[in-house]
PDB file of all heavy atoms in Angstrom:
ATOM      1  N   GLU A 310    -112.147  97.841   8.772  1.00  0.00           N
ATOM      2  CA  GLU A 310    -111.057  98.782   8.528  1.00  0.00           C
ATOM      3  C   GLU A 310    -109.778  98.337   9.230  1.00  0.00           C
ATOM      4  O   GLU A 310    -109.775  97.388  10.021  1.00  0.00           O
ATOM      5  CB  GLU A 310    -111.457 100.183   8.990  1.00  0.00           C
ATOM      6  CG  GLU A 310    -112.703 100.731   8.312  1.00  0.00           C
ATOM      7  CD  GLU A 310    -112.561 100.863   6.805  1.00  0.00           C
ATOM      8  OE1 GLU A 310    -111.421 100.985   6.313  1.00  0.00           O
ATOM      9  OE2 GLU A 310    -113.589 100.830   6.119  1.00  0.00           O
ATOM     10  N   GLN A 311    -108.688  99.030   8.944  1.00  0.00           N
ATOM     11  CA  GLN A 311    -107.406  98.685   9.546  1.00  0.00           C
ATOM     12  C   GLN A 311    -107.480  98.796  11.067  1.00  0.00           C
ATOM     13  O   GLN A 311    -108.305  99.517  11.621  1.00  0.00           O
ATOM     14  CB  GLN A 311    -106.298  99.591   9.022  1.00  0.00           C
ATOM     15  CG  GLN A 311    -106.424 101.042   9.426  1.00  0.00           C
ATOM     16  CD  GLN A 311    -105.328 101.902   8.808  1.00  0.00           C
ATOM     17  OE1 GLN A 311    -104.784 101.578   7.756  1.00  0.00           O
ATOM     18  NE2 GLN A 311    -104.991 102.985   9.474  1.00  0.00           N
ATOM     19  N   ALA A 312    -106.596  98.056  11.761  1.00  0.00           N
ATOM     20  CA  ALA A 312    -106.588  98.024  13.217  1.00  0.00           C
ATOM     21  C   ALA A 312    -106.504  99.426  13.795  1.00  0.00           C
ATOM     22  O   ALA A 312    -105.787 100.288  13.288  1.00  0.00           O
ATOM     23  CB  ALA A 312    -105.401  97.196  13.708  1.00  0.00           C
ATOM     24  N   GLY A 313    -107.258  99.649  14.859  1.00  0.00           N
ATOM     25  CA  GLY A 313    -107.249 100.949  15.509  1.00  0.00           C
ATOM     26  C   GLY A 313    -108.355 101.875  15.062  1.00  0.00           C
ATOM     27  O   GLY A 313    -108.532 102.951  15.637  1.00  0.00           O
ATOM     28  N   THR A 314    -109.121 101.482  14.032  1.00  0.00           N
ATOM     29  CA  THR A 314    -110.250 102.295  13.566  1.00  0.00           C
ATOM     30  C   THR A 314    -111.456 101.947  14.416  1.00  0.00           C
ATOM     31  O   THR A 314    -112.354 101.203  14.009  1.00  0.00           O
ATOM     32  CB  THR A 314    -110.526 102.036  12.071  1.00  0.00           C
ATOM     33  OG1 THR A 314    -109.319 102.105  11.333  1.00  0.00           O
ATOM     34  CG2 THR A 314    -111.510 103.066  11.511  1.00  0.00           C
ATOM     35  N   THR A 315    -111.479 102.463  15.639  1.00  0.00           N
ATOM     36  CA  THR A 315    -112.521 102.098  16.590  1.00  0.00           C
ATOM     37  C   THR A 315    -113.749 103.000  16.509  1.00  0.00           C
ATOM     38  O   THR A 315    -114.782 102.692  17.098  1.00  0.00           O
ATOM     39  CB  THR A 315    -111.965 102.133  18.024  1.00  0.00           C
ATOM     40  OG1 THR A 315    -111.409 103.426  18.278  1.00  0.00           O
ATOM     41  CG2 THR A 315    -110.875 101.080  18.205  1.00  0.00           C
ATOM     42  N   THR A 316    -113.610 104.111  15.790  1.00  0.00           N
ATOM     43  CA  THR A 316    -114.747 104.997  15.552  1.00  0.00           C
ATOM     44  C   THR A 316    -115.288 104.733  14.158  1.00  0.00           C
ATOM     45  O   THR A 316    -114.518 104.616  13.195  1.00  0.00           O
ATOM     46  CB  THR A 316    -114.335 106.476  15.675  1.00  0.00           C
ATOM     47  OG1 THR A 316    -113.820 106.700  16.990  1.00  0.00           O
ATOM     48  CG2 THR A 316    -115.513 107.399  15.436  1.00  0.00           C
ATOM     49  N   VAL A 317    -116.594 104.625  14.036  1.00  0.00           N
ATOM     50  CA  VAL A 317    -117.209 104.329  12.748  1.00  0.00           C
ATOM     51  C   VAL A 317    -116.872 105.431  11.744  1.00  0.00           C
ATOM     52  O   VAL A 317    -117.018 106.618  12.039  1.00  0.00           O
ATOM     53  CB  VAL A 317    -118.737 104.184  12.888  1.00  0.00           C
ATOM     54  CG1 VAL A 317    -119.393 103.980  11.532  1.00  0.00           C
ATOM     55  CG2 VAL A 317    -119.069 103.023  13.816  1.00  0.00           C
ATOM     56  N   THR A 318    -116.406 105.061  10.572  1.00  0.00           N
ATOM     57  CA  THR A 318    -116.051 106.023   9.544  1.00  0.00           C
ATOM     58  C   THR A 318    -117.297 106.561   8.851  1.00  0.00           C
ATOM     59  O   THR A 318    -118.410 106.073   9.064  1.00  0.00           O
ATOM     60  CB  THR A 318    -115.143 105.381   8.483  1.00  0.00           C
ATOM     61  OG1 THR A 318    -115.912 104.411   7.744  1.00  0.00           O
ATOM     62  CG2 THR A 318    -113.945 104.675   9.120  1.00  0.00           C
ATOM     63  N   THR A 322    -118.152 101.889   8.546  1.00  0.00           N
ATOM     64  CA  THR A 322    -117.401 100.715   8.965  1.00  0.00           C
ATOM     65  C   THR A 322    -116.335 101.096   9.987  1.00  0.00           C
ATOM     66  O   THR A 322    -115.945 102.255  10.098  1.00  0.00           O
ATOM     67  CB  THR A 322    -116.727 100.049   7.757  1.00  0.00           C
ATOM     68  OG1 THR A 322    -115.997 101.039   7.016  1.00  0.00           O
ATOM     69  CG2 THR A 322    -117.747  99.405   6.843  1.00  0.00           C
ATOM     70  N   LYS A 323    -115.852 100.091  10.725  1.00  0.00           N
ATOM     71  CA  LYS A 323    -114.712 100.254  11.625  1.00  0.00           C
ATOM     72  C   LYS A 323    -113.910  98.957  11.605  1.00  0.00           C
ATOM     73  O   LYS A 323    -114.092  98.138  10.686  1.00  0.00           O
ATOM     74  CB  LYS A 323    -115.177 100.618  13.037  1.00  0.00           C
ATOM     75  CG  LYS A 323    -116.120  99.627  13.684  1.00  0.00           C
ATOM     76  CD  LYS A 323    -116.504 100.102  15.079  1.00  0.00           C
ATOM     77  CE  LYS A 323    -117.418  99.103  15.779  1.00  0.00           C
ATOM     78  NZ  LYS A 323    -117.705  99.525  17.171  1.00  0.00           N
ATOM     79  N   ASP A 324    -113.008  98.764  12.585  1.00  0.00           N
ATOM     80  CA  ASP A 324    -112.120  97.600  12.511  1.00  0.00           C
ATOM     81  C   ASP A 324    -112.726  96.322  13.082  1.00  0.00           C
ATOM     82  O   ASP A 324    -112.055  95.288  13.142  1.00  0.00           O
ATOM     83  CB  ASP A 324    -110.778  97.898  13.187  1.00  0.00           C
ATOM     84  CG  ASP A 324    -110.920  98.158  14.692  1.00  0.00           C
ATOM     85  OD1 ASP A 324    -112.059  98.113  15.208  1.00  0.00           O
ATOM     86  OD2 ASP A 324    -109.900  98.428  15.344  1.00  0.00           O
ATOM     87  N   SER A 325    -113.992  96.365  13.515  1.00  0.00           N
ATOM     88  CA  SER A 325    -114.616  95.170  14.082  1.00  0.00           C
ATOM     89  C   SER A 325    -116.099  95.144  13.745  1.00  0.00           C
ATOM     90  O   SER A 325    -116.687  96.158  13.364  1.00  0.00           O
ATOM     91  CB  SER A 325    -114.434  95.140  15.607  1.00  0.00           C
ATOM     92  OG  SER A 325    -115.091  96.237  16.206  1.00  0.00           O
TER      93      SER A 325
END
Side-chain angles (χ1 to χ4, degrees):
E310 301 299 335
Q311 66 183 26
T314 312
T315 56
T316 301
V317 176
T318 68
T322 51
K323 58 180 182 176
D324 64 0
S325 63

